[in-house]
Amino acid sequence: QVQLEQSGAEVKKPGASVKVSCTASGYSFSGFYIHWLRQAPGQGLEWVGWINPKSGGTNYTQNFQGRVTMTRDRSITTAYLELNWLQSDDTAVYYCARETRRQESCSDTSCPLYTWLDSWGQGSLVTVAS
Amino acid sequence: DIQMTQSPSSLSASVGDRVTFTCRASQSISTFLNWYQQTPGKAPKVLIYAASFLQSGVPSRFSGSGSGTDFSLTISSLQPEDFAVYYCQHSYNSSSIFGQGTKLQI
């Protein structure tokens, strides 16, 4: 079955960096984008970005531009999220999730491609405190 | 960026009730809308994709509808395990934004 296993909790000081891993199993790693999201304590879900494991291409939300790097190692089916210049408001549970796609038939004007996050890691708590 | 607004922010209901949550997009997103359920301490789980398609393994008491800017998620008969937080998410372009969530409580 599809599984995403994330690395353990981390405690970091302000200004430091953190690297969270997400190891995939049970499916073809290169065939599905991996998204990263985070959830601050008691708050909602915030999307960080995605990586295409096949090409290494990435897309980051503007809020994290310049501070975030997503990478992958296909040989060990693992994706990574690295976040730099940590501040206290980066304290959150970080999730990886697999994107599944469904291509619909083309109409006169469009060829809809539906995507959703069908499998999630268990989450990695990152705490930033001095 | 497309913004997603959910209402209400919280909702009280009882086992057996029929409940409906709503989600509004700041611009038309066709049917590029997904719904997720999150229970405390757990990762979210997808319920509905493409506005109205039931994810495999999700009970049929869950249903979704809508297109354009207005969407809804309905639970036809609440079960004890349904008390959770529900999020909508758009997948209209290469980015992805979630609504702020609706907490369903007893």
Side-chain angles (χ1 to χ4, degrees), chain B residues 35 37 45-48 53-63 73:
Chain B
W35 288 96
Q37 177 196 64
K45 165 188 161 184
V46 65
L47 303 172
I48 300 287
F53 292 87
L54 194 67
Q55 173 72 1
S56 175
V58 173
S60 58
R61 63 180 179 272
F62 292 92
S63 63
L73 172 71

Side-chain angles (χ1 to χ4, degrees), chain B residues 57-72:
Chain B
V58 173
S60 58
R61 63 180 179 272
F62 292 92
S63 63
S65 65
S67 67
T69 60
D70 294 313
F71 302 88
S72 63

